Amino acid sequence: VFEQDPSLPIVNIHIAFKTGSIMDPKDRSGLTNFMGEMLMRGTQHHSKRELERELDYMGAKLNFETRAESIILRGSVLSSQLSDYLKILNEIITEPSFPVNEVEKLRAEIISVLQEELGHDSQLGTRAFTRFLFQDHPYGNPVLGRISDIRRLSKEEVVRHYQELIREPLLLVVGSGDSTQQTITQWAESLGQELTRLRSTQSHSNRTQGVEAPHPGNHRRLLIIDKPDRTQTQINLGQIGIRMTDPNYFKLYLGNYALGGHSFSSILMREIRVKRGWSYGANSAFRFGLQPRSWVVHLFPAAKDTQKALEYTLTLLKDIQQHGISHELIHFAKQSLINSSGFMYNTPAKRVENTLLEKTLHLPPGFMRSHAEKIALLQPNEVNDALRNFIRPENLAITVVGTAQALKSALVKAADLNDEWIEIEPYDAE
């Protein structure tokens, strides 16, 4: 899919494969991300340094991203350099060399990042919540992996993973800029043919077919990530979410914006931060996938306000489940989303991202552009009905990064739990 835009002499190309961290084996978390990063660390014809020099000479950019269900090479280049750039991309994707010295360098870099993450409570909390919510489901796989797993990765495992995942049926090319649909299509088809030729004699499993839906929780539970001397805590509480193809998606999208959107008018921000000053921020958000992923409320209060912030948030959610959100606030949120909807697709770069999302999550073409139209049709009663059927305060997974000794009794009271449903683990546990 390519959108021609001659306004600037630049071409943006995203090469995605519709597979991601959900494909990491159980004891090899981070393998998909590791493999993808290694693509840019040397080919059969160029070392990592030589590749970087070639890209620098063109004035080009190339980055890699791993998601749960996609891996993406994002690039941009001057249109005058496009032909040479596409040759480099083709080489990176079809002829990586996975040099042993670069495997070891990348291993050290990722372990360093993971160790540094232990000092960032927000990242620590998000990672712990994802694992705690999904338990053994692949959506709980940490994208970067666990330190113990990264230490065990071998070059042979990385090569096998590459051969299994980098395949023509999973290939998606999306771009925009100063070129033509024909140019990009011909290159993409050539790339696909080369991948087909390379894989023609290789066996592969059916693991790339995706995953089953995660099971929602049937009771409330709490995990305390014990970190010494915390004066601020990170609270995440949430549940399994919905697909973007769910009939209630737009209703819940609007309802969530009224509840916890990034606005001082949202209920969580107004009640938790503005009125009571119990948290420096309060918001809620969905994460989406081919299967239902997560819906999460995030608070980061001072340690002394943690009990009150958590307790009152649970009360708010129960009240919304029972009584809904005021029609006035829903109308305000509705108008806000409609008025800002143009920013979802007002640049070619955003439209490329929208297309990537639509293609990787099996959404109809133009889905992202339809938000204003769909939201304009919604009425407060149907938004509240959707919220009432979705929110389950009694079944939430709750994680708190803080000092367990100082917080446990207060959190037990706030969450109304007995010891059977409470876990405590050190912040540096894997």
Side-chain angles (χ1 to χ4, degrees):
V1 181
F2 188 81
E3 177 183 335
Q4 188 168 353
D5 176 22
S7 59
L8 290 173
I10 295 174
V11 180
N12 300 295
I13 295 288
H14 293 358
I15 304 101
F17 289 87
K18 292 179 279 187
T19 182
S21 62
I22 59 168
M23 299 310 304
D24 291 347
K26 189 171 183 179
D27 61 346
R28 291 295 187 271
S29 63
L31 175 57
T32 302
N33 179 73
F34 198 102
M35 177 274 294
E37 293 284 357
M38 282 299 301
L39 293 180
M40 300 193 294
R41 290 183 171 241
T43 71
Q44 302 296 332
H45 309 288
H46 294 89
S47 66
K48 177 176 181 288
R49 186 174 180 181
E50 288 168 342
L51 281 177
E52 291 170 346
R53 187 182 299 119
E54 290 283 338
L55 292 171
D56 285 345
Y57 178 78
M58 296 178 199
K61 296 179 180 178
L62 185 61
N63 299 297
F64 177 77
E65 178 188 359
T66 304
R67 298 179 178 177
E69 290 165 305
S70 60
I71 53 178
I72 308 167
L73 283 161
R74 302 176 184 275
S76 59
V77 67
L78 287 171
S79 52
S80 61
Q81 301 293 319
L82 179 61
S83 178
D84 289 339
Y85 186 66
L86 293 179
K87 290 177 184 177
I88 288 289
L89 290 181
N90 198 86
E91 184 179 319
I92 287 171
I93 294 167
T94 64
E95 299 182 273
S97 59
F98 302 106
V100 172
N101 65 317
E102 291 296 339
V103 169
E104 295 308 316
K105 287 179 184 178
L106 181 58
R107 189 197 314 277
E109 290 170 16
I110 291 178
I111 289 174
S112 177
V113 169
L114 291 172
Q115 290 172 334
E116 184 180 355
E117 190 178 89
L118 297 176
H120 295 275
D121 289 7
S122 178
Q123 296 176 28
L124 191 63
T126 299
R127 183 182 172 102
F129 174 81
T130 302
R131 172 172 47 82
F132 189 57
L133 175 65
F134 290 110
Q135 300 292 302
D136 292 329
H137 190 277
Y139 278 157
N141 291 348
V143 169
L144 290 182
R146 290 177 286 271
I147 292 175
S148 57
D149 290 344
I150 297 300
R151 283 182 173 143
R152 291 198 297 266
L153 291 181
S154 67
K155 172 181 175 176
E156 290 71 26
E157 290 172 317
V158 176
V159 171
R160 284 197 300 271
H161 208 58
Y162 161 76
Q163 292 170 344
E164 184 172 21
L165 300 190
I166 307 302
R167 292 180 170 273
E168 188 276 336
L170 303 176
L171 173 64
L172 170 64
V173 176
V174 180
S176 67
D178 187 22
S179 186
T180 65
Q181 174 82 38
Q182 182 181 15
T183 298
I184 303 305
T185 297
Q186 287 177 346
W187 174 78
E189 289 177 348
S190 174
L191 174 60
Q193 290 166 3
E194 180 66 9
L195 287 173
T196 298
R197 184 188 68 78
L198 289 171
R199 305 290 179 259
S200 61
T201 60
Q202 296 168 353
S203 62
H204 65 283
S205 73
N206 292 320
R207 291 197 308 121
T208 54
Q209 297 304 307
V211 296
E212 296 180 352
H215 296 293
N218 56 14
H219 59 82
R220 187 180 293 177
R221 51 202 171 94
L222 169 68
L223 170 65
I224 303 174
I225 301 97
D226 186 20
K227 195 171 185 183
D229 305 323
R230 295 296 92 190
T231 58
Q232 184 185 55
T233 62
Q234 296 287 330
I235 303 174
N236 288 282
L237 57 151
Q239 61 184 67
I240 301 299
I242 60 168
R243 298 180 182 92
M244 295 181 83
T245 52
D246 190 290
N248 287 318
Y249 165 76
F250 287 102
K251 301 169 192 174
L252 291 173
Y253 181 85
L254 173 55
N256 176 74
Y257 188 80
L259 169 61
H262 291 278
S263 161
F264 278 96
S265 299
S266 72
I267 293 173
L268 288 173
M269 185 67 84
R270 188 181 67 232
E271 297 294 331
I272 302 295
R273 174 177 171 168
V274 177
K275 285 187 179 180
R276 294 168 177 83
W278 286 342
S279 177
Y280 301 103
N283 56 73
S284 60
F286 284 97
R287 296 187 72 188
F288 297 104
L290 286 171
Q291 299 291 354
R293 288 186 68 185
S294 61
W295 176 73
V296 189
V297 175
H298 179 217
L299 314 171
F300 37 109
K304 65 182 179 61
D305 296 323
T306 298
Q307 178 183 350
K308 293 178 288 188
L310 176 58
E311 197 167 45
Y312 193 71
T313 299
L314 291 170
T315 299
L316 279 175
L317 294 180
K318 186 174 182 179
D319 183 69
I320 289 170
Q321 181 197 41
Q322 294 176 346
H323 306 294
I325 297 173
S326 74
H327 289 201
E328 180 185 10
L329 182 55
I330 290 176
H331 281 303
F332 180 87
K334 175 179 175 178
Q335 200 58 50
S336 177
L337 285 174
I338 291 172
N339 290 341
S340 63
S341 62
F343 292 108
M344 297 178 69
Y345 52 82
N346 66 324
T347 67
K350 290 179 182 178
R351 292 192 288 274
V352 166
E353 289 300 322
N354 290 344
T355 301
L356 272 175
L357 198 62
E358 290 168 0
K359 293 292 184 182
T360 55
L361 297 188
H362 301 173
L363 303 172
F367 179 87
M368 299 303 296
R369 196 163 186 148
S370 71
H371 276 60
E373 174 189 348
K374 300 290 187 182
I375 289 169
L377 300 174
L378 298 177
Q379 298 301 317
N381 285 338
E382 56 184 336
V383 172
N384 280 326
D385 286 344
L387 287 170
R388 189 174 297 113
N389 291 323
F390 172 72
I391 295 178
R392 289 289 176 264
E394 68 278 10
N395 295 337
L396 295 175
I398 306 169
T399 62
V400 180
V401 178
T403 306
Q405 185 176 1
L407 290 172
K408 181 182 176 182
S409 60
L411 291 172
V412 168
K413 182 179 178 181
D416 190 23
L417 288 170
N418 56 43
D419 286 345
E420 182 181 2
W421 305 118
I422 299 169
E423 299 177 36
I424 300 175
E425 67 177 34
Y427 76 100
D428 54 357
E430 289 202 305

